Amino acid sequence: MSKRLTPPALPLALALIGLTPLAAPPAQAQARAQQAFARIDANGDGQISQEEFLALRRQMFAAMDADGNGQLTKAEIESARARQANGRTPRSNQIWKQDSNGDGVLTLSEYTAQTRGFAYADSNSDGVLSQQEFTRIARFLAPAQ
């Protein structure tokens, strides 16, 4: 996969922190990216660690797990995507690559086992996301409606 393509989970992650994948004026998009970065950077050290990224993934999981049973079904995932799609047709197949046992549901451990989004954003592979790395992937985003 080219690093220029946005991973399928990224739009949902960003929607959950107040951003959706829509074009925005550059200054507005940058301001929103900075606000989102500050919300994810729980310890305020100016970097997003892999643990902070995993905390976001856990929040995403909880937001999609409508019945709170610790498993995501196709219906729950599609419902979450429909809520953030703003009239676009969301992609739905990539998330199922995380279903390691092929049982048709995702557990939290399956959902957090892969951190492709983090690796994608960490362009210098130093194990943390800087504001610049985060803004690079968020620069095409606008505030959620």
Side-chain angles (χ1 to χ4, degrees):
M1 177 166 85
S2 168
K3 280 199 163 198
R4 293 177 192 245
L5 299 176
T6 301
L10 188 58
L12 181 57
L14 293 167
L16 289 170
I17 58 172
L19 301 171
T20 56
L22 299 172
Q28 182 183 10
Q30 179 141 359
R32 287 300 209 181
Q34 289 171 346
Q35 291 168 359
F37 183 90
R39 284 192 296 272
I40 298 169
D41 180 17
N43 65 5
D45 68 353
Q47 305 177 101
I48 296 173
S49 68
Q50 191 157 9
E51 183 53 42
E52 288 166 327
F53 184 82
L54 285 172
L56 175 62
R57 298 274 294 165
R58 289 188 289 272
Q59 291 172 358
M60 291 170 56
F61 185 92
M64 290 186 287
D65 187 11
D67 62 10
N69 71 348
Q71 297 180 330
L72 297 180
T73 64
K74 182 174 181 165
E76 287 172 319
I77 292 168
E78 293 303 321
S79 176
R81 286 185 168 156
R83 287 191 306 271
Q84 66 91 31
N86 293 330
R88 293 174 296 110
T89 303
R91 290 182 264 175
S92 63
N93 295 328
Q94 292 293 323
I95 197 165
W96 294 108
K97 290 182 179 180
Q98 298 171 78
D99 182 13
S100 60
N101 65 1
D103 65 355
V105 297
L106 288 178
T107 63
L108 179 60
S109 63
E110 286 174 322
Y111 189 73
T112 58
Q114 298 179 23
T115 56
R116 290 183 310 246
F118 186 88
Y120 168 81
D122 185 14
S123 60
N124 65 359
S125 301
D126 67 352
V128 294
L129 302 183
S130 66
Q131 175 73 57
Q132 183 179 16
E133 287 171 320
F134 183 81
T135 300
R136 179 180 59 85
I137 58 172
R139 67 180 174 205
F140 298 108
L141 306 173
Q145 302 299 319

Coordinates of all heavy atoms in Angstrom, one line a residue, residues 47-93:
Q47 N 4.0 14.6 21.8 CA 4.1 13.4 21.0 C 2.9 12.5 21.3 O 2.4 12.5 22.4 CB 5.3 12.7 21.3 CG 6.6 13.5 21.2 CD 7.8 12.7 21.6 OE1 8.5 12.2 20.7 NE2 8.0 12.4 22.8
I48 N 2.5 11.8 20.3 CA 1.5 10.7 20.5 C 2.3 9.4 20.5 O 2.8 9.0 19.5 CB 0.4 10.7 19.4 CG1 -0.4 12.0 19.4 CG2 -0.5 9.5 19.5 CD1 -1.4 12.2 18.3
S49 N 2.2 8.8 21.6 CA 2.9 7.5 21.7 C 2.0 6.4 21.2 O 0.8 6.6 21.0 CB 3.2 7.2 23.2 OG 2.0 7.0 23.9
Q50 N 2.6 5.2 21.0 CA 1.8 4.1 20.6 C 0.7 3.8 21.6 O -0.4 3.4 21.2 CB 2.6 2.9 20.3 CG 1.9 1.8 19.5 CD 2.7 0.9 18.8 OE1 4.0 0.9 18.9 NE2 2.1 0.0 17.9
E51 N 1.0 3.9 22.9 CA 0.0 3.7 23.9 C -1.2 4.7 23.8 O -2.3 4.3 24.0 CB 0.6 3.7 25.3 CG -0.4 3.4 26.4 CD -1.2 2.1 26.2 OE1 -0.6 1.1 25.8 OE2 -2.4 2.1 26.5
E52 N -0.9 5.9 23.5 CA -1.9 6.9 23.4 C -2.7 6.6 22.1 O -3.9 6.8 22.1 CB -1.3 8.3 23.3 CG -0.8 8.8 24.6 CD 0.1 10.0 24.6 OE1 0.9 10.2 23.5 OE2 0.1 10.8 25.5
F53 N -2.1 6.2 21.1 CA -2.8 5.8 19.9 C -3.7 4.6 20.2 O -4.8 4.5 19.7 CB -1.7 5.4 18.8 CG -2.4 5.1 17.5 CD1 -2.8 6.0 16.6 CD2 -2.5 3.7 17.1 CE1 -3.4 5.7 15.4 CE2 -3.1 3.4 15.9 CZ -3.5 4.4 15.0
L54 N -3.2 3.6 20.9 CA -4.0 2.4 21.3 C -5.2 2.9 22.2 O -6.3 2.3 22.1 CB -3.2 1.4 22.0 CG -2.2 0.6 21.1 CD1 -1.3 -0.3 21.9 CD2 -3.0 -0.2 20.1
A55 N -5.0 3.9 23.0 CA -6.1 4.4 23.8 C -7.2 4.9 22.9 O -8.4 4.7 23.1 CB -5.7 5.5 24.8
L56 N -6.8 5.6 21.8 CA -7.8 6.0 20.8 C -8.5 4.9 20.1 O -9.7 4.9 20.0 CB -7.1 6.9 19.7 CG -8.0 7.4 18.6 CD1 -9.1 8.2 19.0 CD2 -7.1 8.1 17.5
R57 N -7.7 3.8 19.8 CA -8.3 2.6 19.2 C -9.3 2.0 20.2 O -10.4 1.5 19.8 CB -7.2 1.6 18.9 CG -6.2 2.0 17.8 CD -6.6 1.8 16.4 NE -6.7 0.4 16.1 CZ -7.3 -0.1 15.1 NH1 -7.9 0.7 14.2 NH2 -7.4 -1.4 14.9
R58 N -9.0 2.0 21.5 CA -9.9 1.4 22.5 C -11.2 2.3 22.5 O -12.3 1.8 22.6 CB -9.3 1.3 23.8 CG -8.2 0.2 23.9 CD -7.7 -0.1 25.3 NE -6.8 0.9 25.8 CZ -5.5 1.0 25.6 NH1 -4.9 0.0 24.9 NH2 -4.8 2.0 26.1
Q59 N -11.0 3.6 22.4 CA -12.2 4.5 22.4 C -13.0 4.3 21.2 O -14.3 4.3 21.3 CB -11.8 6.0 22.5 CG -11.2 6.4 23.8 CD -10.6 7.8 23.7 OE1 -10.5 8.4 22.7 NE2 -10.0 8.2 24.8
M60 N -12.4 4.1 20.0 CA -13.1 3.8 18.8 C -13.9 2.5 19.0 O -15.1 2.4 18.6 CB -12.1 3.6 17.6 CG -11.4 4.9 17.2 SD -10.1 4.5 16.0 CE -11.0 3.6 14.7
F61 N -13.3 1.5 19.5 CA -14.0 0.2 19.7 C -15.2 0.4 20.6 O -16.3 -0.1 20.2 CB -13.0 -0.8 20.3 CG -13.6 -2.2 20.5 CD1 -13.4 -3.1 19.4 CD2 -14.3 -2.6 21.6 CE1 -13.9 -4.4 19.5 CE2 -14.8 -3.9 21.7 CZ -14.6 -4.8 20.7
A62 N -15.0 1.1 21.7 CA -16.1 1.3 22.6 C -17.3 2.1 22.0 O -18.5 1.8 22.2 CB -15.7 2.0 23.9
A63 N -16.9 3.0 21.1 CA -17.9 3.8 20.5 C -18.7 3.0 19.5 O -19.9 3.2 19.2 CB -17.3 5.0 19.8
M64 N -18.1 2.0 18.8 CA -18.8 1.2 17.9 C -19.5 0.0 18.5 O -20.5 -0.5 18.0 CB -17.8 0.6 16.9 CG -17.2 1.7 15.9 SD -16.2 1.0 14.6 CE -14.7 0.5 15.5
D65 N -19.1 -0.4 19.7 CA -19.7 -1.5 20.4 C -21.0 -1.1 21.0 O -21.1 -0.9 22.2 CB -18.7 -2.1 21.4 CG -19.2 -3.4 22.1 OD1 -20.2 -4.0 21.6 OD2 -18.6 -3.8 23.1
A66 N -22.1 -1.0 20.2 CA -23.3 -0.4 20.6 C -24.0 -1.2 21.8 O -24.6 -0.6 22.7 CB -24.3 -0.4 19.4
D67 N -23.8 -2.5 21.8 CA -24.5 -3.3 22.9 C -23.5 -3.6 24.0 O -23.9 -4.2 25.0 CB -25.1 -4.6 22.3 CG -24.0 -5.5 21.7 OD1 -22.8 -5.3 21.9 OD2 -24.4 -6.6 21.1
G68 N -22.3 -3.1 23.9 CA -21.3 -3.2 25.0 C -20.9 -4.6 25.4 O -20.5 -4.9 26.5
N69 N -21.0 -5.6 24.5 CA -20.7 -7.0 24.8 C -19.2 -7.3 24.5 O -18.8 -8.5 24.6 CB -21.6 -7.9 24.0 CG -21.3 -7.9 22.5 OD1 -20.6 -7.1 22.0 ND2 -21.9 -8.9 21.8
G70 N -18.4 -6.3 24.1 CA -17.0 -6.6 23.9 C -16.7 -7.2 22.5 O -15.6 -7.7 22.3
Q71 N -17.7 -7.2 21.6 CA -17.5 -7.7 20.3 C -18.1 -6.7 19.3 O -19.2 -6.2 19.6 CB -18.1 -9.1 20.1 CG -17.5 -10.2 21.0 CD -18.2 -11.5 20.8 OE1 -19.4 -11.6 20.4 NE2 -17.5 -12.6 21.0
L72 N -17.5 -6.6 18.2 CA -18.0 -5.8 17.1 C -18.6 -6.7 16.0 O -17.9 -7.5 15.5 CB -17.0 -4.8 16.5 CG -16.3 -3.8 17.4 CD1 -15.3 -3.0 16.6 CD2 -17.4 -2.9 18.0
T73 N -19.8 -6.4 15.7 CA -20.5 -7.1 14.6 C -20.4 -6.2 13.3 O -20.2 -5.0 13.4 CB -21.9 -7.5 14.9 OG1 -22.6 -6.2 15.0 CG2 -22.0 -8.3 16.2
K74 N -20.7 -6.8 12.2 CA -20.8 -6.1 11.0 C -21.8 -5.0 11.1 O -21.6 -3.8 10.7 CB -21.1 -7.0 9.8 CG -21.2 -6.2 8.5 CD -21.4 -7.2 7.3 CE -21.3 -6.3 6.0 NZ -21.2 -7.1 4.8
A75 N -22.9 -5.2 11.7 CA -24.0 -4.2 11.8 C -23.5 -3.0 12.7 O -23.8 -1.9 12.4 CB -25.2 -4.8 12.5
E76 N -22.8 -3.3 13.8 CA -22.3 -2.2 14.6 C -21.2 -1.4 13.9 O -21.2 -0.1 14.0 CB -21.6 -2.8 15.9 CG -22.7 -3.3 16.9 CD -22.0 -4.0 18.0 OE1 -21.1 -4.8 17.8 OE2 -22.5 -3.8 19.2
I77 N -20.4 -2.0 13.1 CA -19.4 -1.3 12.4 C -20.0 -0.5 11.3 O -19.7 0.7 11.1 CB -18.3 -2.3 11.8 CG1 -17.5 -2.9 13.0 CG2 -17.4 -1.6 10.8 CD1 -16.6 -4.0 12.6
E78 N -20.9 -1.0 10.5 CA -21.6 -0.3 9.5 C -22.4 0.9 10.0 O -22.4 2.0 9.4 CB -22.5 -1.2 8.7 CG -21.7 -2.2 7.8 CD -20.7 -1.6 6.9 OE1 -21.0 -0.6 6.3 OE2 -19.6 -2.2 6.8
S79 N -23.0 0.7 11.2 CA -23.8 1.8 11.8 C -22.8 2.9 12.2 O -23.2 4.1 12.0 CB -24.5 1.2 13.1 OG -25.2 2.3 13.7
A80 N -21.7 2.6 12.8 CA -20.7 3.6 13.2 C -20.2 4.4 11.9 O -20.1 5.6 12.0 CB -19.6 3.0 13.9
R81 N -19.9 3.7 10.9 CA -19.5 4.3 9.7 C -20.5 5.1 9.0 O -20.2 6.2 8.5 CB -18.9 3.2 8.7 CG -17.6 2.7 9.1 CD -17.1 1.7 8.1 NE -15.7 1.4 8.5 CZ -15.1 0.4 8.1 NH1 -15.7 -0.5 7.3 NH2 -13.8 0.1 8.4
A82 N -21.8 4.7 9.1 CA -22.8 5.5 8.5 C -23.0 6.8 9.2 O -23.3 7.8 8.6 CB -24.1 4.7 8.5
R83 N -22.8 6.8 10.5 CA -22.9 8.0 11.3 C -21.9 9.0 11.0 O -22.1 10.2 11.1 CB -22.9 7.7 12.8 CG -24.1 7.0 13.4 CD -24.1 7.0 14.9 NE -22.9 6.4 15.5 CZ -22.8 5.1 15.8 NH1 -23.7 4.2 15.5 NH2 -21.7 4.6 16.3
Q84 N -20.7 8.6 10.6 CA -19.6 9.6 10.3 C -19.4 9.8 8.8 O -18.6 10.5 8.4 CB -18.3 9.1 11.0 CG -17.7 7.9 10.5 CD -16.7 8.1 9.3 OE1 -16.0 9.1 9.3 NE2 -16.6 7.1 8.5
A85 N -20.2 9.1 7.9 CA -19.9 9.1 6.5 C -20.3 10.4 5.8 O -19.9 10.7 4.7 CB -20.6 8.0 5.8
N86 N -21.2 11.2 6.4 CA -21.7 12.5 5.8 C -22.1 12.3 4.3 O -21.7 13.0 3.4 CB -20.6 13.5 5.9 CG -20.4 14.0 7.3 OD1 -21.3 13.9 8.1 ND2 -19.2 14.4 7.6
G87 N -22.9 11.3 4.0 CA -23.4 11.0 2.7 C -22.5 10.2 1.8 O -22.9 9.9 0.7
R88 N -21.3 9.9 2.2 CA -20.4 9.1 1.4 C -20.6 7.6 1.7 O -21.1 7.3 2.8 CB -18.9 9.5 1.6 CG -18.6 10.9 1.2 CD -17.2 11.3 1.6 NE -17.1 11.3 3.1 CZ -16.4 10.4 3.8 NH1 -15.7 9.5 3.3 NH2 -16.4 10.5 5.1
T89 N -20.3 6.8 0.8 CA -20.3 5.4 1.1 C -19.1 4.9 1.7 O -18.0 4.9 1.1 CB -20.5 4.6 -0.2 OG1 -21.7 5.1 -0.9 CG2 -20.7 3.1 0.0
P90 N -19.1 4.5 3.0 CA -17.9 4.1 3.7 C -17.4 2.7 3.2 O -18.2 1.9 2.8 CB -18.3 4.0 5.2 CG -19.8 3.8 5.1 CD -20.3 4.5 3.9
R91 N -16.1 2.6 3.3 CA -15.5 1.3 3.0 C -15.7 0.3 4.1 O -15.6 0.7 5.3 CB -14.0 1.4 2.7 CG -13.7 2.2 1.4 CD -12.3 2.3 1.1 NE -11.9 3.6 1.6 CZ -10.6 4.0 1.7 NH1 -9.7 3.2 1.3 NH2 -10.3 5.2 2.1
S92 N -15.9 -0.9 3.9 CA -16.3 -1.8 5.0 C -15.4 -3.1 5.0 O -15.5 -3.8 6.0 CB -17.7 -2.2 4.9 OG -18.0 -2.9 3.7
N93 N -14.7 -3.4 4.0 CA -14.0 -4.7 4.0 C -12.7 -4.8 4.7 O -12.3 -5.8 5.2 CB -13.9 -5.2 2.6 CG -15.2 -5.5 1.9 OD1 -16.1 -5.9 2.6 ND2 -15.3 -5.3 0.6

